[in-house]
Amino acid sequence: MTRLIASMWTTVDGFVAGLDDSMDWLRADADLMEYETDLVENAGGLLLGRITHSDFAAYWPAVAAGEIDADEGTRRYARRLDQLDKFTASRSGEIADWPGTQQVEHVTAARIQHIKDHADGDVITYGSLSLIAALNELSLIDEFHLIVNPTLLCRGKPLFDEDQRRTEMDLLECRPFSAGAVLLRYAATSTTN
């Protein structure tokens, strides 16, 4: 069964970026990159918000083409992103040019289920706080992959705000990476008010 997986890099205190969108606290390493590559190797699609899609489209195709210096693992990840079907949540229709991209004008349970039903593997969503909030509100996220970095940011952009619904989860995996980040992989089990 195709899963919708929300993969987020976060601080210990639950922030995904600083107030100025800074992410200089990330602790990436080779084994974390291997996890990310394995995640997209088993995926059939990316579901991104308009801004995250634009950021990805401006960077990853250039890495895949060798226009940006990167190690072979990172280049392999970039090439796989290029191959995936991409779905971008955008009411305006202003979507960055990246082959294989389709607009999702309205995030509804029926539209997301259609994407999952036609994907050749899991559907991954990165970043895109408003998209993840909408998906969580509709109880559409099957798994949360939280990569917790050993940093207390103390203020910034939280993964979820106080208006989100409570979501119960079961721990599937806890995996430390050599640079100090930890993957917490959860299955969403129920959502309540």
Side-chain angles (χ1 to χ4, degrees):
M1 186 174 104
T2 298
R3 300 169 298 172
L4 176 58
I5 298 171
S7 180
M8 298 294 295
W9 293 45
T10 179
T11 61
V12 169
D13 50 352
F15 294 105
V16 296
L19 292 173
D20 59 353
D21 289 326
S22 63
M23 296 183 73
D24 56 353
W25 44 268
L26 295 177
R27 300 258 185 113
D29 54 37
D31 51 332
L32 180 50
M33 193 67 231
E34 183 178 330
Y35 151 77
E36 290 286 0
T37 302
D38 288 346
L39 183 64
V40 297
E41 287 291 342
N42 295 308
L46 287 178
L47 174 60
L48 304 171
R50 182 183 54 81
I51 294 170
T52 302
H53 177 270
S54 179
D55 291 344
F56 273 43
Y59 182 74
W60 290 111
V63 172
E67 298 166 9
I68 295 176
D69 188 38
D71 61 61
E72 185 50 38
T74 303
R75 197 168 318 288
R76 190 172 122 227
Y77 173 80
R79 285 193 299 263
R80 181 62 185 146
L81 289 182
D82 257 358
Q83 296 167 351
L84 292 174
D85 292 330
K86 292 163 273 297
F87 302 91
T88 303
S90 172
R91 288 186 196 102
S92 69
E94 296 176 13
I95 298 173
D97 185 32
W98 193 3
T101 299
Q102 300 174 43
Q103 178 187 3
V104 176
E105 188 173 355
H106 301 287
V107 176
T108 64
R111 179 67 169 114
I112 301 307
Q113 189 61 52
H114 179 79
I115 290 169
K116 288 174 64 176
D117 288 345
H118 292 86
D120 187 23
D122 294 328
V123 177
I124 311 298
T125 184
Y126 290 111
S128 309
L129 293 178
S130 60
L131 174 60
I132 289 176
L135 294 168
N136 189 53
E137 187 67 24
L138 294 168
S139 301
L140 296 174
I141 300 173
D142 298 300
E143 288 188 15
F144 290 86
H145 292 203
L146 304 178
I147 300 165
V148 181
N149 286 256
T151 301
L152 291 173
L153 204 54
C154 300
R155 61 182 158 278
K157 295 185 177 181
L159 177 55
F160 293 109
D161 61 33
E162 67 272 5
D163 295 331
Q164 282 297 302
R165 301 174 83 184
R166 179 175 148 170
T167 303
E168 300 294 331
M169 300 182 208
D170 287 332
L171 182 65
L172 301 173
E173 180 182 7
C174 179
R175 182 192 324 174
F177 298 110
S178 57
V182 176
L183 167 66
L184 299 175
R185 188 167 68 92
Y186 292 101
T189 56
S190 66
T191 305
T192 58
N193 289 325

